[in-house]
Amino acid sequence: MPDIESLLKEKRIFKPNSDFARQANWNKKTVREYRALGAKNPQRFWAKMARENVSWFTPFKKVLDWKPPFAKWFIGGKLNVSYNCLDRHLEGENAWRRNKAAIIWEGEPGDTRTLTFGDLHREVCKFANVLKARGVKKGDRVALYMPMIPELAIAVLACTRIGAPHSVVFGGFSAEALRDRIDDAGAKLVVTADGGYRRGSPHALKPAVDEALEGTDIVGSVVVVERTGQATKMKAGRDFWWHDLMDEASAVCAPAKLDAEHPLFILYTSGTTGKPKGILHTTGGYLTHVTTTSKAIFDLKDEDTYWCTADIGWITGHSYVIYGPLACGATTLMYEGVPTYPAPDRLWDIIERHRVTIFYTAPTAIRTFIRLGDEHPKKHDMSSLRLLGTVGEPINPEAWMWYHRVIGGKRCPIVDTWWQTETGGILITPLPAAVDTVPGSATLPFPGIDAEVYTEEGDPTTPPAGGYLVIRKPWPGMLRGIWGDSARFKETYWSQYDNTYFAGDGAHRDKRGYFWIMGRIDDVMNISGHRIGTMEVESALVSHADVAEAAVVGRPDEITGTAIVAFVTPKSGVEAGGDLNAALRMHVTKQIGAIAKPAEIRFTDALPKTRSGKIMRRLLRDIAGGKEAMGDTSTLEDYSVLARLRESDE
Ligand code: WT7
């Protein structure tokens, strides 16, 4: 962990701004009270949050049933997520929200749509009826492979209305990746679009669905949104246009009364094997977690225009574009396209035009904008902003300072939020009215969260110290399992330490106890805040006919955080070089998607291995990062391999 030294030198401290603190949902006093309660009795704290922030059809009888590693929260409770995100904002004292914007959407070409809570409720009810009419029942899985358009939010919420778990597959994934995810979840229906806009031109999505479904018959129907109007093949009897089905659908659909532990969604994420994991989240605990954190950390108010730039294909988009903000009755902004299209000031222009008040994005985006130059944000009036957030990877203090100065005008608190697909919601974060921030640190665990830094042996460390990040007590938004693979669930998260969640991140705690997340310590890379397993890229590479062996590692990159470097041994007789390089990059894009495409491929006639045949990734990481491979090489099988690999560098 080479960065620890530099981070420890960070002396700048930012106290909560008093104007902000005065109006905050959670002020200092509230936070003090909740921290005390959360430490003393986390179940009582979360039960209070569940009652205050979530509407239940039937109240829960028991807060937690914990048979490690299996947790059940809010047992006996019945609720519906779409009811919490929509119906409750149309009733009683909240009825005025009917004509308040729920979603402000902007397409990449500049077209905009605003859906009020009333509009969104109507569309969701209609699409829920469409799903039912296509034979989708409670418990059936629905796969969504869509661009960032309002129909994606509508489809997600419609699934929750009838209790059909959704599996959103990021639109940048390939047909192969989509097929794996559809198969693994056993999806009965797929929702997609003809295409979406990226960097000024339509890019097709429907052909990938056709390819993914070749040779399988589990999917009965495909519903296609017309977004770009591009020529689209439709298979009679299987494929239907969204607008045709919606035209006939009734706008009346009672929300299903679902068990607190009813499966809400599956979201695939990369792990240390080639096969992505279907992370399972359930209803009551997840909703409690994301609603409470949205209200407390983003300080959501009725007057806010909140914008999280994440794609709904990732967990951030699930929890903090859709569920958290809508359950709070907030206005959430959705943008379809590339942040630098048609010009580098696109995001700042959106902030100015829509008077965005809260902005949540990733460090990789911030670093990109730093490089593009201050003149772009400076062209815009961003005085509406009152709070900034970051997520997805460690933010370097210089990027934090730039965000604070240039985007936040030195007045906005910054919340650096640590969490994962598995955690469902934010676990380590500043609370903007109550916690002093230090650039680069995610600061402290949220109330009710018992985070620690352990030694390898499983002993808690005394700050200042570094080690492995763990969560010692269950929390409501935690994953309930890996879809169809409880052995892997236990092995991945619960086998390192007894009854303790192992996050896979290294962390350091400074003298005041603040957490500094140092990044993944397993074979998982974080590329622009997106998680890619080294094994996944390796299996894609070796599936190419010309490849004998491949090893993939990450190397530090100024913009994307990590860049993918592949060491490839071609089959004998195959010529290594430019053509193969291009072919392999294309092959990985086809197998997984462009996000997994190696930045660099190095050809080598052998890979460094231990005597038992394990690839020594640590050495490869050093070589890829331009460092001398100085670590322990006592188990290296063939020393000359290392020398030859270094030569391949020249
Ligand atoms: C991994 C989870 C849930 C957010 C999107 C990514 C890294 C996330 C931070 C942060 C340092 C962070 C960790 C984590 N990460 N937030 N604020 N500071 N690192 O979700 O794909 O499940 O990845 O992202 O390494 O384990 P994900």
Side-chain angles (χ1 to χ4, degrees):
M1 295 177 184
D3 285 337
I4 287 181
E5 281 310 309
S6 61
L7 291 178
L8 281 181
K9 290 199 195 99
E10 185 56 62
K11 291 263 155 54
R12 289 166 287 205
I13 297 178
F14 294 83
K15 301 237 168 258
N17 144 344
S18 53
D19 289 340
F20 186 96
R22 244 190 307 281
Q23 57 81 58
N25 287 338
W26 281 25
N27 60 26
K28 263 202 171 98
K29 190 164 155 276
T30 318
V31 171
R32 206 176 310 126
E33 191 185 304
Y34 287 170
R35 275 206 202 291
L37 180 59
K40 198 170 132 227
N41 193 335
Q43 292 190 39
R44 199 177 301 153
F45 167 74
W46 286 115
K48 182 175 162 66
M49 295 303 112
R51 287 190 193 101
E52 276 176 19
N53 300 326
V54 170
S55 304
W56 301 82
F57 297 130
T58 310
F60 48 90
K61 291 194 184 68
K62 191 174 168 206
V63 181
L64 173 68
D65 175 37
W66 177 224
K67 295 197 178 67
F70 299 102
K72 289 185 185 148
W73 282 86
F74 308 126
I75 297 126
K78 289 202 186 296
L79 73 163
N80 184 282
V81 170
S82 80
Y83 176 87
N84 274 272
C85 291
L86 301 167
D87 306 58
R88 68 166 169 170
H89 306 306
L90 310 177
E91 298 167 355
E93 59 174 19
N94 293 329
W96 67 270
R97 289 199 187 115
R98 178 174 291 277
N99 293 318
K100 167 184 171 168
I103 295 178
I104 297 177
W105 173 82
E106 187 160 314
E108 199 193 65
D111 44 342
T112 62
R113 277 165 70 189
T114 298
L115 283 99
T116 64
F117 279 96
D119 295 334
L120 190 56
H121 178 263
R122 183 191 62 239
E123 297 303 303
V124 167
C125 288
K126 285 173 74 174
F127 197 64
N129 283 326
V130 167
L131 290 173
K132 283 199 227 169
R134 303 292 343 139
V136 177
K137 295 193 180 60
K138 178 172 147 181
D140 289 344
R141 276 80 60 204
V142 173
L144 310 176
Y145 184 65
M146 299 173 77
M148 281 285 284
I149 53 177
E151 285 79 2
L152 175 49
I154 293 166
V156 156
L157 289 163
C159 287
T160 74
R161 196 154 189 95
I162 64 171
H166 57 72
S167 163
V168 183
V169 180
F170 173 58
F173 277 123
S174 68
E176 289 288 329
L178 175 62
R179 184 207 312 259
D180 291 346
R181 286 157 175 78
I182 289 173
D183 284 350
D184 188 80
K188 196 165 181 182
L189 182 142
V190 177
V191 188
T192 188
D194 49 358
Y197 288 94
R198 273 198 101 65
R199 230 174 276 286
S201 34
H203 88 112
L205 281 172
K206 175 66 168 44
V209 175
D210 294 338
E211 200 185 323
L213 297 186
E214 260 165 41
T216 61
D217 50 10
I218 48 166
V219 172
S221 325
V222 177
V223 182
V224 187
V225 178
E226 185 175 30
R227 163 64 184 138
T228 59
Q230 64 202 110
T232 299
K233 258 197 253 147
M234 299 288 278
K235 187 171 166 184
R238 186 195 72 182
D239 301 349
F240 304 87
W241 287 107
W242 170 288
H243 52 262
D244 289 341
L245 299 177
M246 288 291 268
D247 274 356
E248 296 158 16
S250 146
V252 180
C253 176
K257 296 187 166 136
L258 301 171
D259 245 38
E261 282 297 337
H262 186 75
L264 177 62
F265 65 82
I266 303 166
L267 182 59
Y268 286 85
T269 189
S270 298
T272 52
T273 74
K275 189 178 173 325
K277 306 174 276 196
I279 303 299
L280 174 67
H281 284 287
T282 60
T283 304
Y286 173 83
L287 190 67
T288 299
H289 189 164
V290 299
T291 309
T292 305
T293 47
S294 295
K295 181 172 161 185
I297 301 163
F298 299 121
D299 193 44
L300 287 176
K301 305 262 169 48
D302 268 315
E303 309 81 277
D304 279 310
T305 301
Y306 161 89
W307 184 18
C308 165
T309 62
D311 192 288
I312 290 166
W314 311 110
I315 190 69
T316 311
H318 285 58
S319 302
Y320 299 110
V321 175
I322 300 183
Y323 291 126
L326 292 179
C328 289
T331 299
T332 182
L333 193 144
M334 253 174 99
Y335 169 58
E336 176 186 34
V338 173
T340 49
Y341 185 85
D345 66 340
R346 181 63 186 264
L347 299 193
W348 322 129
D349 181 51
I350 293 176
I351 290 176
E352 177 172 21
R353 271 186 293 108
H354 297 285
R355 306 300 293 160
V356 171
T357 57
I358 301 166
F359 182 64
Y360 188 33
T361 196
T364 184
I366 297 169
R367 291 193 298 266
T368 304
F369 291 118
I370 294 175
R371 181 176 279 190
L372 290 168
D374 294 8
E375 64 270 28
H376 306 294
K378 288 203 167 128
K379 265 184 260 174
H380 295 280
D381 173 9
M382 296 196 283
S383 58
S384 55
L385 288 172
R386 66 182 193 91
L387 176 69
L388 303 174
T390 79
V391 62
E393 50 179 322
I395 181 163
N396 44 309
E398 289 329 303
W400 196 103
M401 287 305 297
W402 183 88
Y403 199 32
H404 166 74
R405 203 179 62 244
V406 181
I407 306 305
K410 297 188 182 161
R411 86 194 158 268
C412 302
I414 297 180
V415 289
D416 171 358
T417 61
W418 177 86
W419 58 296
Q420 308 176 297
T421 306
E422 291 87 343
T423 69
I426 297 167
L427 296 191
I428 302 180
T429 178
L431 288 158
V435 175
D436 297 353
T437 51
V438 180
S441 170
T443 74
L444 298 169
F446 193 77
I449 300 299
D450 184 3
E452 250 302 349
V453 174
Y454 270 11
T455 63
E456 189 148 10
E457 292 72 39
D459 298 316
T461 55
T462 313
Y468 300 90
L469 182 59
V470 299
I471 314 296
R472 297 195 295 191
K473 289 196 187 77
W475 67 97
M478 68 194 277
L479 78 165
R480 299 301 196 264
I482 293 177
W483 187 257
D485 199 344
S486 54
R488 192 176 179 193
F489 171 60
K490 289 183 192 158
E491 166 65 27
T492 309
Y493 307 106
W494 307 95
S495 66
Q496 234 78 19
Y497 306 115
D498 284 345
N499 302 342
T500 295
Y501 175 81
F502 174 69
D505 277 321
H508 183 89
R509 268 200 307 165
D510 67 14
K511 270 190 268 172
R512 63 161 76 74
Y514 276 18
F515 286 73
W516 298 76
I517 312 298
M518 312 308 291
R520 306 289 310 189
I521 45 99
D522 50 11
D523 289 329
V524 170
M525 299 170 289
N526 189 328
I527 318 295
S528 300
H530 297 143
R531 204 202 287 194
I532 306 285
T534 53
M535 280 290 292
E536 237 176 315
V537 185
E538 283 168 14
S539 20
L541 285 166
V542 298
S543 73
H544 189 278
D546 291 341
V547 174
E549 213 177 12
V552 166
V553 295
R555 80 156 139 70
D557 181 275
E558 225 180 281
I559 299 292
T560 59
T562 305
I564 302 177
V565 180
F567 293 85
V568 171
T569 309
K571 284 197 181 142
S572 62
V574 173
E575 200 188 322
D579 289 350
L580 185 56
N581 192 316
L584 291 181
R585 286 159 51 89
M586 188 123 73
H587 185 69
V588 173
T589 306
K590 184 149 169 38
Q591 293 290 310
I592 307 172
I595 45 166
K597 187 166 65 184
E600 195 184 326
I601 296 180
R602 294 194 186 188
F603 295 105
T604 166
D605 56 3
L607 291 167
K609 287 187 191 153
T610 63
R611 261 162 236 140
S612 61
K614 274 178 97 177
I615 294 172
M616 301 183 78
R617 287 167 197 291
R618 184 172 44 78
L619 297 183
L620 294 176
R621 264 195 293 270
D622 286 351
I623 293 167
K627 268 186 257 155
E628 278 286 297
M630 288 297 286
D632 179 16
T633 55
S634 55
T635 53
L636 185 61
E637 171 68 6
D638 175 1
Y639 285 93
S640 66
V641 166
L642 203 58
R644 273 177 280 150
L645 274 176
R646 261 200 236 106
E647 280 157 22
S648 78
D649 199 10
E650 261 97 72

